[in-house]
Amino acid sequence: MLEGLAARAMGALPLHAVRPEGVTDFLGVLPPAAAAFLRATGFVGKAGEIALLPGAEGLAGAVVGLGPDGGPWSFGGLPRGLPAGTAWRLAPGPQDPAQATLGWALGAYRPRRHKAGAAPAVLEIPEDAGAAVMMAEAICAARDLINAPAADLGPAELADAVAALAARHGGICDIVAGECLDQGFPAIAAVGAGSPRAPRVAVLRWTGDPDGPLVALCGKGVCFDTGGLDLKAPSGMLRMKKDMGGAAVVMAVAEMVMRSALPCRLLVLVGAVENAVSGTAMRPLDVLRTRKGLKVEVGNTDAEGRLVLADLLAYAAEQSPALILDCATLTGAARVALGPDLPALFSNDDALADRLLACGREALDPMWRLPLHDGYEPWLDTQGADLSNVSHKPMAGAVVAALFLRRFVPASTPWAHLDLYAWNDATRPGRPEGGEAQCARALHALIADVAEDPAHRALAA
């Protein structure tokens, strides 16, 4: 069970949730002394606003504001905002129990690998919140991976985590390494050539319905990124343990899909690699082979994530999936354009992009679409190879990276690329500082939609 949740909580106190327009009515049903106390606190029902309710024996309960929309983040501050060691149950009210459970569980999370911490307040899981608990468990597992120091989580450990995920849910996993990797995923092998920790590709397959559509998930798993010979500055390297955030997100999505038993087939590809500096590291202007056969000139060794994804996308396309989704902490340019909270979405299919955006809005897991502008395609041209991995123009870096990836996806295959941050810079309700599985809930909702789509099921059959 996740920290902060319990199937049964002895002595659980009532937790009331109130919208701003419902404060007056709520005050009317409280005992007079408690109502007077709550009025004196100035409680108005703002999202996440917390007030304790006094009783004859001390603490009688608490009330939280839902604000205008009542999403999960209204409950995200409660595990750390309510008294430590207390237990709570949701009182009947206007809240969505699943959203409340999700927000509580995500707010209770803290990384525990190397530091113990105070236990949060505990919520008794309400009925019909099992899906929310499942999503929270998958997200917190992804957070653990992203938060793990690179010394603890290298390519071997990340690939092993994919294998363990497959084993837990009835999937199968092949790990490609050594000579097979050199031949089958040559760009990934080149990225990892400078590290003593050899690269790997983890290939997870799972069948929820043999007649269901095949969904391919590709995750960038750069366990640490020095930038290679185009070395990052120390400040730019500080958070590079999170450069495998895309892999953690697709693993979280895969766990949600498998535990939901969605009627589809999954192919999950994780390129697990370290971009290090040594005498065997790839060099600027080296020309690399890729699985697709295109030759890529290395314009910058710090643009290694797109090389990893290039081989994964090519492999995924060979399997004739209904759609391909990739996730990566790919460019700083996307963060300049959209900030940390809005992953950049690129897609070669307007219908897919619209569905994914709608899923993000519905799940309160947002993203923002940016264009695959054909006019920038020539920026990848180079005389030394079929294309460069970077543009030499200091503009539109996220767009150029997405255009590079598009070269490795057939135009006829619906594809979406998510350039995400995978990190919370500061603690907010439900989103503690550290690793974050951005877009995981939205992608799960999309796959559930696709799995039930008659058009995709007819195609699979």
Side-chain angles (χ1 to χ4, degrees):
M1 185 66 66
L2 286 170
E3 189 176 23
L5 296 180
R8 292 287 181 269
M10 296 298 296
L13 296 167
L15 174 65
H16 306 272
V18 181
R19 296 187 184 278
E21 64 273 19
V23 171
T24 299
D25 289 343
F26 178 70
L27 288 168
V29 301
L30 286 177
F37 177 85
L38 191 59
R39 286 191 190 93
T41 68
F43 181 85
V44 294
K46 293 185 297 185
E49 185 181 7
I50 304 170
L52 299 177
L53 298 175
E57 298 182 2
L59 185 59
V63 57
V64 61
L66 293 179
D69 52 27
W73 312 134
S74 295
F75 296 85
L78 292 169
R80 307 287 169 178
L82 291 171
T86 53
W88 301 86
R89 56 179 171 78
L90 289 177
Q95 73 276 357
D96 180 332
Q99 294 279 13
T101 303
L102 178 67
W104 186 292
L106 296 181
Y109 171 87
R110 293 295 185 274
R112 297 298 193 207
R113 183 183 291 253
H114 292 294
K115 181 179 179 179
V122 172
L123 176 69
E124 185 176 283
I125 301 172
E127 294 183 8
D128 302 323
V133 175
M134 175 273 291
M135 289 184 185
E137 287 175 341
I139 290 169
C140 290
R143 287 173 171 179
D144 279 342
L145 289 172
I146 299 168
N147 286 325
D152 296 344
L153 187 81
E157 291 79 13
L158 180 57
D160 287 347
V162 180
L165 176 65
R168 288 196 301 272
H169 302 294
I172 59 173
C173 182
D174 295 319
I175 296 178
V176 184
E179 183 64 25
C180 292
L181 183 78
D182 295 341
Q183 295 301 316
F185 299 89
I188 294 175
V191 170
S195 173
R197 305 197 291 182
R200 290 158 170 76
V201 171
V203 183
L204 184 158
R205 299 178 189 273
W206 174 84
T207 300
D209 182 342
D211 297 323
L214 176 63
V215 177
L217 300 172
C218 301
K220 173 188 171 184
V222 178
C223 296
F224 194 80
D225 181 19
T226 66
L229 294 178
D230 289 310
L231 193 67
K232 293 179 182 288
S235 60
M237 218 182 297
L238 189 60
R239 289 181 177 161
M240 282 301 100
K241 69 178 186 179
K242 78 174 183 68
D243 213 19
M244 39 62 64
V249 169
V250 300
M251 291 169 67
V253 175
E255 180 168 359
M256 293 178 190
V257 169
M258 293 187 289
R259 290 180 64 176
S260 301
L262 295 183
C264 65
R265 294 171 291 142
L266 270 187
L267 171 66
V268 182
L269 303 172
V270 169
V273 64
E274 181 172 50
N275 188 21
V277 179
S278 75
T280 56
M282 62 179 176
R283 295 164 289 267
L285 298 190
D286 278 357
V287 175
L288 309 181
R289 293 184 302 114
T290 66
R291 183 180 181 92
K292 188 174 180 179
L294 293 173
K295 299 289 186 68
V296 177
E297 184 177 72
V298 180
N300 191 307
T301 64
D302 195 22
E304 86 297 332
R306 65 201 69 183
L307 299 173
V308 172
L309 285 176
D311 277 354
L312 300 183
L313 291 169
Y315 182 93
E318 292 166 12
Q319 317 307 307
S320 301
L323 73 160
I324 300 175
L325 307 168
D326 79 69
C327 295
T329 51
L330 205 65
T331 69
R335 307 286 66 80
V336 171
L338 299 175
D341 291 346
L342 279 177
L345 165 66
F346 297 88
S347 181
N348 64 355
D349 186 286
D350 289 341
L352 172 60
D354 289 344
R355 290 170 86 174
L356 186 48
L357 289 168
C359 287
R361 288 191 295 269
E362 179 69 21
L364 301 178
D365 199 8
M367 62 201 72
W368 196 266
R369 191 179 184 186
L370 294 181
L372 286 165
H373 180 54
D374 292 330
Y376 298 157
E377 185 90 22
W379 292 10
L380 292 167
D381 291 346
T382 179
Q383 293 185 354
D386 294 317
L387 72 165
S388 174
N389 72 329
V390 294
S391 164
H392 294 293
K393 296 180 183 291
M395 295 173 284
V399 177
V400 171
L403 290 169
F404 176 90
L405 296 178
R406 188 175 68 171
R407 298 281 189 100
F408 298 87
V409 179
S412 59
T413 302
W415 160 67
H417 158 58
L418 286 161
D419 187 338
L420 44 82
Y421 191 48
W423 194 262
N424 295 313
D425 287 324
T427 295
R428 294 168 292 167
R431 291 152 291 185
E433 181 180 353
E436 187 57 271
Q438 291 175 311
C439 301
R441 291 180 292 117
L443 288 169
H444 172 256
L446 171 77
I447 295 170
D449 186 22
V450 169
E452 301 291 350
D453 188 324
H456 281 112
R457 299 190 66 78
L459 180 64

